[in-house]
Amino acid sequence: MSVAGRALVRDLTFNLSAGDVVCLLGPNGVGKTLTLHTLAGLRPAGKGFISLGKDAMNRLRRREIAQRLGLLLQDDAETFPATVLETALMGRHPHQAGSTTDSPDDLARALTALLAMGLGDYGDRLVSTLSGGERRRLALARLLTQDPAVLLLDEPVNHLDPRHQIAVLERLRLLGAAGRGVIMTLHDPWLALQFASHALLLFTDGTWLLDTARAALTPANLARLFDTPYAEYTNARGLTALLPG
């Protein structure tokens, strides 16, 4: 994958299996967002191919892709008047086969997703009245309503306070445990270590490293990744933190 003649990610090859929760880490400008967009089929791969299940993605219609794969953009702000419930229900559009009517199942899925994101009482509110963190949780609720087998999430905890960060990442871990495949970008190695099964590190020279989170997220690898020293600390409860310095 390259941009303006600059190679960002070279020869990336991996399989996302059911149950994998992969955290994508790297410094600014290394190509994390472009990698997610490429995996989602929004831009062509530099070479090779991307498959969704047994199907080559470039042979699938966008509706077929959206029935199986969901993408959370880095900044997913609504710009038109809609209520919170109406926005969550947009996640069902790929499954409605041209119907303009939301079924009882659609409504139940949307309400369940809003409840999971702490927005259960917000259904009638206009999106324009929400805070940045609330809009982020609404975007996640819409993705949960879509119910894809594969979730690609660009900074899913962006704008969220620590309590909601933990709640969202725990929900994503549970989705992995239920057999979904999850790839998400994060900036905090500690959160990646706590909630991801695997980590994909993108280095500035175009190389990459994919391994279990525990094996990939070492002080040495993080120092190379972010060009700053890292140290590992373990508290009295046995929790490990990876901190710069």
Side-chain angles (χ1 to χ4, degrees):
M1 183 177 67
S2 63
V3 173
R6 175 193 166 202
L8 293 178
V9 184
R10 294 192 180 96
D11 302 325
L12 178 61
T13 303
F14 74 98
N15 293 318
L16 179 70
S17 301
D20 287 348
V21 179
V22 180
C23 183
L24 184 59
L25 294 100
N28 294 337
V30 79
K32 300 185 295 297
T33 293
L34 288 176
T35 296
L36 286 185
H37 288 184
T38 302
L39 293 175
L42 299 183
R43 65 188 311 276
K47 60 180 179 178
F49 62 93
I50 300 168
S51 296
L52 190 54
K54 296 180 180 180
D55 301 309
M57 186 175 290
N58 61 6
R59 298 195 175 192
L60 295 173
R61 295 176 300 169
R62 288 311 308 180
R63 177 181 290 275
E64 292 175 310
I65 294 173
Q67 290 170 352
R68 297 153 63 177
L69 180 149
L71 172 66
L72 179 73
L73 299 174
Q74 189 173 121
D75 291 302
D76 197 4
E78 297 298 334
T79 58
F80 52 89
T83 68
V84 166
L85 180 57
E86 289 168 341
T87 301
L89 280 166
M90 291 177 188
R92 297 307 299 163
H93 289 179
H95 304 278
Q96 291 174 338
S99 172
T100 58
T101 303
D102 298 313
S103 70
D105 179 64
D106 294 332
L107 182 60
R109 289 176 183 271
L111 292 174
T112 299
L114 289 173
L115 187 63
M117 289 294 105
L119 300 171
D121 296 327
Y122 286 52
D124 293 330
R125 283 185 57 177
L126 290 175
V127 175
S128 59
T129 69
L130 301 183
S131 70
E134 289 166 341
R135 291 188 186 207
R136 195 61 173 162
R137 287 187 281 137
L138 175 56
L140 286 158
R142 184 176 59 196
L143 193 66
L144 294 179
T145 304
Q146 183 181 341
D147 195 27
V150 177
L151 296 89
L152 306 179
L153 307 109
D154 200 354
E155 299 187 25
V157 297
N158 194 22
H159 302 304
L160 300 186
D161 60 46
R163 177 171 72 89
H164 287 110
Q165 287 184 8
I166 298 300
V168 164
L169 292 173
E170 181 61 32
R171 173 63 57 173
L172 296 176
R173 179 164 61 183
L174 290 174
L175 287 173
R180 311 301 170 92
V182 179
I183 303 178
M184 58 181 170
T185 64
L186 289 177
H187 287 290
D188 189 334
W190 181 83
L191 289 175
L193 188 61
Q194 301 305 312
F195 292 98
S197 62
H198 296 77
L200 173 59
L201 311 184
L202 301 183
F203 298 99
T204 54
D205 62 359
T207 61
W208 51 274
L209 170 68
L210 174 65
D211 209 328
T212 64
R214 179 69 270 183
L217 298 173
T218 65
N221 285 340
L222 292 172
R224 178 190 168 202
L225 186 69
F226 293 114
D227 194 26
T228 190
Y230 265 79
E232 183 174 307
Y233 303 92
T234 303
N235 67 12
R237 297 170 54 196
L239 293 175
T240 298
L242 295 161
L243 302 173

mmCIF file with all atom_site columns, all heavy atoms in Angstrom, residues 24-52:
data_model
loop_
_atom_site.group_PDB
_atom_site.id
_atom_site.type_symbol
_atom_site.label_atom_id
_atom_site.label_alt_id
_atom_site.label_comp_id
_atom_site.label_asym_id
_atom_site.label_entity_id
_atom_site.label_seq_id
_atom_site.pdbx_PDB_ins_code
_atom_site.Cartn_x
_atom_site.Cartn_y
_atom_site.Cartn_z
_atom_site.occupancy
_atom_site.B_iso_or_equiv
_atom_site.pdbx_formal_charge
_atom_site.auth_seq_id
_atom_site.auth_comp_id
_atom_site.auth_asym_id
_atom_site.auth_atom_id
_atom_site.pdbx_PDB_model_num
ATOM 1   N N   . LEU A 1 24 ? -4.493  -2.616  15.955 1.00 0.00 ? 24 LEU A N   1
ATOM 2   C CA  . LEU A 1 24 ? -3.563  -2.042  14.986 1.00 0.00 ? 24 LEU A CA  1
ATOM 3   C C   . LEU A 1 24 ? -2.929  -0.816  15.607 1.00 0.00 ? 24 LEU A C   1
ATOM 4   O O   . LEU A 1 24 ? -3.628  0.130   15.972 1.00 0.00 ? 24 LEU A O   1
ATOM 5   C CB  . LEU A 1 24 ? -4.338  -1.686  13.716 1.00 0.00 ? 24 LEU A CB  1
ATOM 6   C CG  . LEU A 1 24 ? -3.613  -1.149  12.501 1.00 0.00 ? 24 LEU A CG  1
ATOM 7   C CD1 . LEU A 1 24 ? -2.563  -2.136  12.021 1.00 0.00 ? 24 LEU A CD1 1
ATOM 8   C CD2 . LEU A 1 24 ? -4.616  -0.878  11.397 1.00 0.00 ? 24 LEU A CD2 1
ATOM 9   N N   . LEU A 1 25 ? -1.597  -0.825  15.761 1.00 0.00 ? 25 LEU A N   1
ATOM 10  C CA  . LEU A 1 25 ? -0.885  0.279   16.378 1.00 0.00 ? 25 LEU A CA  1
ATOM 11  C C   . LEU A 1 25 ? 0.233   0.774   15.478 1.00 0.00 ? 25 LEU A C   1
ATOM 12  O O   . LEU A 1 25 ? 0.839   0.006   14.737 1.00 0.00 ? 25 LEU A O   1
ATOM 13  C CB  . LEU A 1 25 ? -0.284  -0.122  17.724 1.00 0.00 ? 25 LEU A CB  1
ATOM 14  C CG  . LEU A 1 25 ? -1.228  -0.461  18.862 1.00 0.00 ? 25 LEU A CG  1
ATOM 15  C CD1 . LEU A 1 25 ? -1.372  -1.957  19.005 1.00 0.00 ? 25 LEU A CD1 1
ATOM 16  C CD2 . LEU A 1 25 ? -0.737  0.141   20.173 1.00 0.00 ? 25 LEU A CD2 1
ATOM 17  N N   . GLY A 1 26 ? 0.512   2.064   15.577 1.00 0.00 ? 26 GLY A N   1
ATOM 18  C CA  . GLY A 1 26 ? 1.619   2.662   14.855 1.00 0.00 ? 26 GLY A CA  1
ATOM 19  C C   . GLY A 1 26 ? 1.593   4.165   15.028 1.00 0.00 ? 26 GLY A C   1
ATOM 20  O O   . GLY A 1 26 ? 0.586   4.742   15.442 1.00 0.00 ? 26 GLY A O   1
ATOM 21  N N   . PRO A 1 27 ? 2.681   4.835   14.711 1.00 0.00 ? 27 PRO A N   1
ATOM 22  C CA  . PRO A 1 27 ? 2.732   6.291   14.861 1.00 0.00 ? 27 PRO A CA  1
ATOM 23  C C   . PRO A 1 27 ? 1.841   6.996   13.848 1.00 0.00 ? 27 PRO A C   1
ATOM 24  O O   . PRO A 1 27 ? 1.350   6.385   12.884 1.00 0.00 ? 27 PRO A O   1
ATOM 25  C CB  . PRO A 1 27 ? 4.208   6.617   14.616 1.00 0.00 ? 27 PRO A CB  1
ATOM 26  C CG  . PRO A 1 27 ? 4.698   5.494   13.769 1.00 0.00 ? 27 PRO A CG  1
ATOM 27  C CD  . PRO A 1 27 ? 3.946   4.280   14.212 1.00 0.00 ? 27 PRO A CD  1
ATOM 28  N N   . ASN A 1 28 ? 1.623   8.277   14.062 1.00 0.00 ? 28 ASN A N   1
ATOM 29  C CA  . ASN A 1 28 ? 0.794   9.059   13.138 1.00 0.00 ? 28 ASN A CA  1
ATOM 30  C C   . ASN A 1 28 ? 1.362   9.004   11.723 1.00 0.00 ? 28 ASN A C   1
ATOM 31  O O   . ASN A 1 28 ? 2.576   9.114   11.518 1.00 0.00 ? 28 ASN A O   1
ATOM 32  C CB  . ASN A 1 28 ? 0.728   10.517  13.588 1.00 0.00 ? 28 ASN A CB  1
ATOM 33  C CG  . ASN A 1 28 ? 0.004   10.671  14.915 1.00 0.00 ? 28 ASN A CG  1
ATOM 34  O OD1 . ASN A 1 28 ? -0.786  9.818   15.298 1.00 0.00 ? 28 ASN A OD1 1
ATOM 35  N ND2 . ASN A 1 28 ? 0.268   11.758  15.612 1.00 0.00 ? 28 ASN A ND2 1
ATOM 36  N N   . GLY A 1 29 ? 0.465   8.834   10.750 1.00 0.00 ? 29 GLY A N   1
ATOM 37  C CA  . GLY A 1 29 ? 0.879   8.858   9.357  1.00 0.00 ? 29 GLY A CA  1
ATOM 38  C C   . GLY A 1 29 ? 1.453   7.569   8.830  1.00 0.00 ? 29 GLY A C   1
ATOM 39  O O   . GLY A 1 29 ? 1.909   7.521   7.678  1.00 0.00 ? 29 GLY A O   1
ATOM 40  N N   . VAL A 1 30 ? 1.427   6.500   9.624  1.00 0.00 ? 30 VAL A N   1
ATOM 41  C CA  . VAL A 1 30 ? 2.043   5.258   9.187  1.00 0.00 ? 30 VAL A CA  1
ATOM 42  C C   . VAL A 1 30 ? 1.140   4.452   8.261  1.00 0.00 ? 30 VAL A C   1
ATOM 43  O O   . VAL A 1 30 ? 1.588   3.542   7.581  1.00 0.00 ? 30 VAL A O   1
ATOM 44  C CB  . VAL A 1 30 ? 2.466   4.414   10.412 1.00 0.00 ? 30 VAL A CB  1
ATOM 45  C CG1 . VAL A 1 30 ? 1.268   3.689   11.015 1.00 0.00 ? 30 VAL A CG1 1
ATOM 46  C CG2 . VAL A 1 30 ? 3.574   3.430   10.071 1.00 0.00 ? 30 VAL A CG2 1
ATOM 47  N N   . GLY A 1 31 ? -0.172  4.780   8.247  1.00 0.00 ? 31 GLY A N   1
ATOM 48  C CA  . GLY A 1 31 ? -1.071  4.080   7.343  1.00 0.00 ? 31 GLY A CA  1
ATOM 49  C C   . GLY A 1 31 ? -2.134  3.227   8.018  1.00 0.00 ? 31 GLY A C   1
ATOM 50  O O   . GLY A 1 31 ? -2.726  2.357   7.374  1.00 0.00 ? 31 GLY A O   1
ATOM 51  N N   . LYS A 1 32 ? -2.430  3.496   9.277  1.00 0.00 ? 32 LYS A N   1
ATOM 52  C CA  . LYS A 1 32 ? -3.426  2.680   9.988  1.00 0.00 ? 32 LYS A CA  1
ATOM 53  C C   . LYS A 1 32 ? -4.812  2.843   9.374  1.00 0.00 ? 32 LYS A C   1
ATOM 54  O O   . LYS A 1 32 ? -5.501  1.856   9.083  1.00 0.00 ? 32 LYS A O   1
ATOM 55  C CB  . LYS A 1 32 ? -3.456  3.064   11.474 1.00 0.00 ? 32 LYS A CB  1
ATOM 56  C CG  . LYS A 1 32 ? -2.137  2.860   12.208 1.00 0.00 ? 32 LYS A CG  1
ATOM 57  C CD  . LYS A 1 32 ? -2.258  3.141   13.687 1.00 0.00 ? 32 LYS A CD  1
ATOM 58  C CE  . LYS A 1 32 ? -2.570  4.596   14.011 1.00 0.00 ? 32 LYS A CE  1
ATOM 59  N NZ  . LYS A 1 32 ? -1.492  5.520   13.581 1.00 0.00 ? 32 LYS A NZ  1
ATOM 60  N N   . THR A 1 33 ? -5.227  4.092   9.185  1.00 0.00 ? 33 THR A N   1
ATOM 61  C CA  . THR A 1 33 ? -6.558  4.335   8.617  1.00 0.00 ? 33 THR A CA  1
ATOM 62  C C   . THR A 1 33 ? -6.640  3.816   7.188  1.00 0.00 ? 33 THR A C   1
ATOM 63  O O   . THR A 1 33 ? -7.636  3.185   6.801  1.00 0.00 ? 33 THR A O   1
ATOM 64  C CB  . THR A 1 33 ? -6.890  5.833   8.663  1.00 0.00 ? 33 THR A CB  1
ATOM 65  O OG1 . THR A 1 33 ? -7.035  6.239   10.037 1.00 0.00 ? 33 THR A OG1 1
ATOM 66  C CG2 . THR A 1 33 ? -8.189  6.132   7.928  1.00 0.00 ? 33 THR A CG2 1
ATOM 67  N N   . LEU A 1 34 ? -5.606  4.049   6.382  1.00 0.00 ? 34 LEU A N   1
ATOM 68  C CA  . LEU A 1 34 ? -5.612  3.562   5.011  1.00 0.00 ? 34 LEU A CA  1
ATOM 69  C C   . LEU A 1 34 ? -5.648  2.037   4.959  1.00 0.00 ? 34 LEU A C   1
ATOM 70  O O   . LEU A 1 34 ? -6.264  1.447   4.064  1.00 0.00 ? 34 LEU A O   1
ATOM 71  C CB  . LEU A 1 34 ? -4.384  4.080   4.264  1.00 0.00 ? 34 LEU A CB  1
ATOM 72  C CG  . LEU A 1 34 ? -4.404  5.567   3.913  1.00 0.00 ? 34 LEU A CG  1
ATOM 73  C CD1 . LEU A 1 34 ? -3.092  5.969   3.252  1.00 0.00 ? 34 LEU A CD1 1
ATOM 74  C CD2 . LEU A 1 34 ? -5.568  5.910   3.004  1.00 0.00 ? 34 LEU A CD2 1
ATOM 75  N N   . THR A 1 35 ? -5.017  1.391   5.923  1.00 0.00 ? 35 THR A N   1
ATOM 76  C CA  . THR A 1 35 ? -5.076  -0.069  5.989  1.00 0.00 ? 35 THR A CA  1
ATOM 77  C C   . THR A 1 35 ? -6.502  -0.540  6.230  1.00 0.00 ? 35 THR A C   1
ATOM 78  O O   . THR A 1 35 ? -6.992  -1.460  5.560  1.00 0.00 ? 35 THR A O   1
ATOM 79  C CB  . THR A 1 35 ? -4.148  -0.594  7.093  1.00 0.00 ? 35 THR A CB  1
ATOM 80  O OG1 . THR A 1 35 ? -2.793  -0.267  6.770  1.00 0.00 ? 35 THR A OG1 1
ATOM 81  C CG2 . THR A 1 35 ? -4.262  -2.101  7.240  1.00 0.00 ? 35 THR A CG2 1
ATOM 82  N N   . LEU A 1 36 ? -7.196  0.103   7.174  1.00 0.00 ? 36 LEU A N   1
ATOM 83  C CA  . LEU A 1 36 ? -8.589  -0.272  7.432  1.00 0.00 ? 36 LEU A CA  1
ATOM 84  C C   . LEU A 1 36 ? -9.462  -0.017  6.206  1.00 0.00 ? 36 LEU A C   1
ATOM 85  O O   . LEU A 1 36 ? -10.317 -0.845  5.855  1.00 0.00 ? 36 LEU A O   1
ATOM 86  C CB  . LEU A 1 36 ? -9.133  0.503   8.632  1.00 0.00 ? 36 LEU A CB  1
ATOM 87  C CG  . LEU A 1 36 ? -8.643  0.090   10.017 1.00 0.00 ? 36 LEU A CG  1
ATOM 88  C CD1 . LEU A 1 36 ? -9.374  0.890   11.085 1.00 0.00 ? 36 LEU A CD1 1
ATOM 89  C CD2 . LEU A 1 36 ? -8.826  -1.396  10.265 1.00 0.00 ? 36 LEU A CD2 1
ATOM 90  N N   . HIS A 1 37 ? -9.267  1.116   5.553  1.00 0.00 ? 37 HIS A N   1
ATOM 91  C CA  . HIS A 1 37 ? -10.065 1.430   4.370  1.00 0.00 ? 37 HIS A CA  1
ATOM 92  C C   . HIS A 1 37 ? -9.799  0.432   3.238  1.00 0.00 ? 37 HIS A C   1
ATOM 93  O O   . HIS A 1 37 ? -10.718 0.054   2.504  1.00 0.00 ? 37 HIS A O   1
ATOM 94  C CB  . HIS A 1 37 ? -9.756  2.849   3.890  1.00 0.00 ? 37 HIS A CB  1
ATOM 95  C CG  . HIS A 1 37 ? -10.314 3.903   4.794  1.00 0.00 ? 37 HIS A CG  1
ATOM 96  N ND1 . HIS A 1 37 ? -10.216 5.248   4.504  1.00 0.00 ? 37 HIS A ND1 1
ATOM 97  C CD2 . HIS A 1 37 ? -10.977 3.827   5.975  1.00 0.00 ? 37 HIS A CD2 1
ATOM 98  C CE1 . HIS A 1 37 ? -10.794 5.949   5.474  1.00 0.00 ? 37 HIS A CE1 1
ATOM 99  N NE2 . HIS A 1 37 ? -11.257 5.103   6.380  1.00 0.00 ? 37 HIS A NE2 1
ATOM 100 N N   . THR A 1 38 ? -8.555  -0.007  3.123  1.00 0.00 ? 38 THR A N   1
ATOM 101 C CA  . THR A 1 38 ? -8.230  -1.009  2.111  1.00 0.00 ? 38 THR A CA  1
ATOM 102 C C   . THR A 1 38 ? -8.886  -2.338  2.443  1.00 0.00 ? 38 THR A C   1
ATOM 103 O O   . THR A 1 38 ? -9.467  -2.998  1.574  1.00 0.00 ? 38 THR A O   1
ATOM 104 C CB  . THR A 1 38 ? -6.704  -1.181  1.999  1.00 0.00 ? 38 THR A CB  1
ATOM 105 O OG1 . THR A 1 38 ? -6.111  0.089   1.685  1.00 0.00 ? 38 THR A OG1 1
ATOM 106 C CG2 . THR A 1 38 ? -6.351  -2.185  0.916  1.00 0.00 ? 38 THR A CG2 1
ATOM 107 N N   . LEU A 1 39 ? -8.828  -2.739  3.702  1.00 0.00 ? 39 LEU A N   1
ATOM 108 C CA  . LEU A 1 39 ? -9.457  -3.992  4.125  1.00 0.00 ? 39 LEU A CA  1
ATOM 109 C C   . LEU A 1 39 ? -10.971 -3.938  3.948  1.00 0.00 ? 39 LEU A C   1
ATOM 110 O O   . LEU A 1 39 ? -11.614 -4.965  3.724  1.00 0.00 ? 39 LEU A O   1
ATOM 111 C CB  . LEU A 1 39 ? -9.113  -4.292  5.582  1.00 0.00 ? 39 LEU A CB  1
ATOM 112 C CG  . LEU A 1 39 ? -7.640  -4.610  5.872  1.00 0.00 ? 39 LEU A CG  1
ATOM 113 C CD1 . LEU A 1 39 ? -7.417  -4.754  7.376  1.00 0.00 ? 39 LEU A CD1 1
ATOM 114 C CD2 . LEU A 1 39 ? -7.212  -5.885  5.147  1.00 0.00 ? 39 LEU A CD2 1
ATOM 115 N N   . ALA A 1 40 ? -11.546 -2.732  4.041  1.00 0.00 ? 40 ALA A N   1
ATOM 116 C CA  . ALA A 1 40 ? -12.989 -2.572  3.862  1.00 0.00 ? 40 ALA A CA  1
ATOM 117 C C   . ALA A 1 40 ? -13.389 -2.490  2.401  1.00 0.00 ? 40 ALA A C   1
ATOM 118 O O   . ALA A 1 40 ? -14.580 -2.433  2.083  1.00 0.00 ? 40 ALA A O   1
ATOM 119 C CB  . ALA A 1 40 ? -13.467 -1.319  4.597  1.00 0.00 ? 40 ALA A CB  1
ATOM 120 N N   . GLY A 1 41 ? -12.413 -2.472  1.497  1.00 0.00 ? 41 GLY A N   1
ATOM 121 C CA  . GLY A 1 41 ? -12.715 -2.398  0.080  1.00 0.00 ? 41 GLY A CA  1
ATOM 122 C C   . GLY A 1 41 ? -12.992 -1.000  -0.429 1.00 0.00 ? 41 GLY A C   1
ATOM 123 O O   . GLY A 1 41 ? -13.496 -0.832  -1.537 1.00 0.00 ? 41 GLY A O   1
ATOM 124 N N   . LEU A 1 42 ? -12.646 0.029   0.347  1.00 0.00 ? 42 LEU A N   1
ATOM 125 C CA  . LEU A 1 42 ? -12.883 1.408   -0.081 1.00 0.00 ? 42 LEU A CA  1
ATOM 126 C C   . LEU A 1 42 ? -11.773 1.931   -0.976 1.00 0.00 ? 42 LEU A C   1
ATOM 127 O O   . LEU A 1 42 ? -11.947 2.971   -1.620 1.00 0.00 ? 42 LEU A O   1
ATOM 128 C CB  . LEU A 1 42 ? -13.036 2.318   1.144  1.00 0.00 ? 42 LEU A CB  1
ATOM 129 C CG  . LEU A 1 42 ? -14.193 1.985   2.089  1.00 0.00 ? 42 LEU A CG  1
ATOM 130 C CD1 . LEU A 1 42 ? -14.264 3.020   3.198  1.00 0.00 ? 42 LEU A CD1 1
ATOM 131 C CD2 . LEU A 1 42 ? -15.510 1.911   1.330  1.00 0.00 ? 42 LEU A CD2 1
ATOM 132 N N   . ARG A 1 43 ? -10.641 1.279   -0.985 1.00 0.00 ? 43 ARG A N   1
ATOM 133 C CA  . ARG A 1 43 ? -9.538  1.635   -1.876 1.00 0.00 ? 43 ARG A CA  1
ATOM 134 C C   . ARG A 1 43 ? -8.860  0.333   -2.288 1.00 0.00 ? 43 ARG A C   1
ATOM 135 O O   . ARG A 1 43 ? -8.851  -0.638  -1.527 1.00 0.00 ? 43 ARG A O   1
ATOM 136 C CB  . ARG A 1 43 ? -8.557  2.607   -1.213 1.00 0.00 ? 43 ARG A CB  1
ATOM 137 C CG  . ARG A 1 43 ? -7.832  2.029   -0.040 1.00 0.00 ? 43 ARG A CG  1
ATOM 138 C CD  . ARG A 1 43 ? -7.016  3.068   0.728  1.00 0.00 ? 43 ARG A CD  1
ATOM 139 N NE  . ARG A 1 43 ? -6.183  3.888   -0.111 1.00 0.00 ? 43 ARG A NE  1
ATOM 140 C CZ  . ARG A 1 43 ? -4.964  3.534   -0.534 1.00 0.00 ? 43 ARG A CZ  1
ATOM 141 N NH1 . ARG A 1 43 ? -4.463  2.362   -0.193 1.00 0.00 ? 43 ARG A NH1 1
ATOM 142 N NH2 . ARG A 1 43 ? -4.257  4.355   -1.285 1.00 0.00 ? 43 ARG A NH2 1
ATOM 143 N N   . PRO A 1 44 ? -8.275  0.284   -3.485 1.00 0.00 ? 44 PRO A N   1
ATOM 144 C CA  . PRO A 1 44 ? -7.666  -0.971  -3.941 1.00 0.00 ? 44 PRO A CA  1
ATOM 145 C C   . PRO A 1 44 ? -6.358  -1.262  -3.211 1.00 0.00 ? 44 PRO A C   1
ATOM 146 O O   . PRO A 1 44 ? -5.627  -0.352  -2.815 1.00 0.00 ? 44 PRO A O   1
ATOM 147 C CB  . PRO A 1 44 ? -7.420  -0.711  -5.426 1.00 0.00 ? 44 PRO A CB  1
ATOM 148 C CG  . PRO A 1 44 ? -7.283  0.785   -5.524 1.00 0.00 ? 44 PRO A CG  1
ATOM 149 C CD  . PRO A 1 44 ? -8.217  1.354   -4.491 1.00 0.00 ? 44 PRO A CD  1
ATOM 150 N N   . ALA A 1 45 ? -6.099  -2.531  -3.032 1.00 0.00 ? 45 ALA A N   1
ATOM 151 C CA  . ALA A 1 45 ? -4.806  -2.938  -2.485 1.00 0.00 ? 45 ALA A CA  1
ATOM 152 C C   . ALA A 1 45 ? -3.721  -2.687  -3.524 1.00 0.00 ? 45 ALA A C   1
ATOM 153 O O   . ALA A 1 45 ? -3.966  -2.770  -4.731 1.00 0.00 ? 45 ALA A O   1
ATOM 154 C CB  . ALA A 1 45 ? -4.839  -4.408  -2.104 1.00 0.00 ? 45 ALA A CB  1
ATOM 155 N N   . GLY A 1 46 ? -2.517  -2.364  -3.062 1.00 0.00 ? 46 GLY A N   1
ATOM 156 C CA  . GLY A 1 46 ? -1.428  -2.137  -3.995 1.00 0.00 ? 46 GLY A CA  1
ATOM 157 C C   . GLY A 1 46 ? -1.139  -3.351  -4.841 1.00 0.00 ? 46 GLY A C   1
ATOM 158 O O   . GLY A 1 46 ? -0.822  -3.252  -6.030 1.00 0.00 ? 46 GLY A O   1
ATOM 159 N N   . LYS A 1 47 ? -1.243  -4.530  -4.231 1.00 0.00 ? 47 LYS A N   1
ATOM 160 C CA  . LYS A 1 47 ? -1.119  -5.789  -4.958 1.00 0.00 ? 47 LYS A CA  1
ATOM 161 C C   . LYS A 1 47 ? -1.793  -6.862  -4.120 1.00 0.00 ? 47 LYS A C   1
ATOM 162 O O   . LYS A 1 47 ? -2.141  -6.641  -2.957 1.00 0.00 ? 47 LYS A O   1
ATOM 163 C CB  . LYS A 1 47 ? 0.343   -6.132  -5.224 1.00 0.00 ? 47 LYS A CB  1
ATOM 164 C CG  . LYS A 1 47 ? 1.200   -6.298  -3.976 1.00 0.00 ? 47 LYS A CG  1
ATOM 165 C CD  . LYS A 1 47 ? 2.642   -6.635  -4.375 1.00 0.00 ? 47 LYS A CD  1
ATOM 166 C CE  . LYS A 1 47 ? 3.530   -6.773  -3.143 1.00 0.00 ? 47 LYS A CE  1
ATOM 167 N NZ  . LYS A 1 47 ? 4.921   -7.143  -3.511 1.00 0.00 ? 47 LYS A NZ  1
ATOM 168 N N   . GLY A 1 48 ? -1.996  -8.006  -4.732 1.00 0.00 ? 48 GLY A N   1
ATOM 169 C CA  . GLY A 1 48 ? -2.668  -9.074  -4.016 1.00 0.00 ? 48 GLY A CA  1
ATOM 170 C C   . GLY A 1 48 ? -4.177  -8.884  -4.013 1.00 0.00 ? 48 GLY A C   1
ATOM 171 O O   . GLY A 1 48 ? -4.733  -8.186  -4.865 1.00 0.00 ? 48 GLY A O   1
ATOM 172 N N   . PHE A 1 49 ? -4.835  -9.474  -3.044 1.00 0.00 ? 49 PHE A N   1
ATOM 173 C CA  . PHE A 1 49 ? -6.296  -9.422  -3.008 1.00 0.00 ? 49 PHE A CA  1
ATOM 174 C C   . PHE A 1 49 ? -6.780  -9.526  -1.564 1.00 0.00 ? 49 PHE A C   1
ATOM 175 O O   . PHE A 1 49 ? -6.032  -9.889  -0.657 1.00 0.00 ? 49 PHE A O   1
ATOM 176 C CB  . PHE A 1 49 ? -6.886  -10.567 -3.842 1.00 0.00 ? 49 PHE A CB  1
ATOM 177 C CG  . PHE A 1 49 ? -6.521  -11.938 -3.322 1.00 0.00 ? 49 PHE A CG  1
ATOM 178 C CD1 . PHE A 1 49 ? -7.354  -12.605 -2.442 1.00 0.00 ? 49 PHE A CD1 1
ATOM 179 C CD2 . PHE A 1 49 ? -5.341  -12.549 -3.721 1.00 0.00 ? 49 PHE A CD2 1
ATOM 180 C CE1 . PHE A 1 49 ? -7.007  -13.860 -1.959 1.00 0.00 ? 49 PHE A CE1 1
ATOM 181 C CE2 . PHE A 1 49 ? -4.992  -13.810 -3.237 1.00 0.00 ? 49 PHE A CE2 1
ATOM 182 C CZ  . PHE A 1 49 ? -5.828  -14.459 -2.354 1.00 0.00 ? 49 PHE A CZ  1
ATOM 183 N N   . ILE A 1 50 ? -8.042  -9.179  -1.379 1.00 0.00 ? 50 ILE A N   1
ATOM 184 C CA  . ILE A 1 50 ? -8.697  -9.263  -0.071 1.00 0.00 ? 50 ILE A CA  1
ATOM 185 C C   . ILE A 1 50 ? -9.932  -10.132 -0.233 1.00 0.00 ? 50 ILE A C   1
ATOM 186 O O   . ILE A 1 50 ? -10.738 -9.920  -1.147 1.00 0.00 ? 50 ILE A O   1
ATOM 187 C CB  . ILE A 1 50 ? -9.085  -7.869  0.449  1.00 0.00 ? 50 ILE A CB  1
ATOM 188 C CG1 . ILE A 1 50 ? -7.842  -6.990  0.587  1.00 0.00 ? 50 ILE A CG1 1
ATOM 189 C CG2 . ILE A 1 50 ? -9.816  -7.969  1.782  1.00 0.00 ? 50 ILE A CG2 1
ATOM 190 C CD1 . ILE A 1 50 ? -8.148  -5.537  0.822  1.00 0.00 ? 50 ILE A CD1 1
ATOM 191 N N   . SER A 1 51 ? -10.072 -11.102 0.633  1.00 0.00 ? 51 SER A N   1
ATOM 192 C CA  . SER A 1 51 ? -11.229 -11.990 0.605  1.00 0.00 ? 51 SER A CA  1
ATOM 193 C C   . SER A 1 51 ? -12.078 -11.763 1.842  1.00 0.00 ? 51 SER A C   1
ATOM 194 O O   . SER A 1 51 ? -11.564 -11.488 2.933  1.00 0.00 ? 51 SER A O   1
ATOM 195 C CB  . SER A 1 51 ? -10.788 -13.456 0.542  1.00 0.00 ? 51 SER A CB  1
ATOM 196 O OG  . SER A 1 51 ? -10.102 -13.730 -0.657 1.00 0.00 ? 51 SER A OG  1
ATOM 197 N N   . LEU A 1 52 ? -13.373 -11.899 1.648  1.00 0.00 ? 52 LEU A N   1
ATOM 198 C CA  . LEU A 1 52 ? -14.323 -11.841 2.750  1.00 0.00 ? 52 LEU A CA  1
ATOM 199 C C   . LEU A 1 52 ? -14.974 -13.215 2.818  1.00 0.00 ? 52 LEU A C   1
ATOM 200 O O   . LEU A 1 52 ? -15.806 -13.558 1.988  1.00 0.00 ? 52 LEU A O   1
ATOM 201 C CB  . LEU A 1 52 ? -15.366 -10.753 2.497  1.00 0.00 ? 52 LEU A CB  1
ATOM 202 C CG  . LEU A 1 52 ? -16.307 -10.386 3.640  1.00 0.00 ? 52 LEU A CG  1
ATOM 203 C CD1 . LEU A 1 52 ? -15.543 -10.011 4.902  1.00 0.00 ? 52 LEU A CD1 1
ATOM 204 C CD2 . LEU A 1 52 ? -17.231 -9.245  3.221  1.00 0.00 ? 52 LEU A CD2 1
#
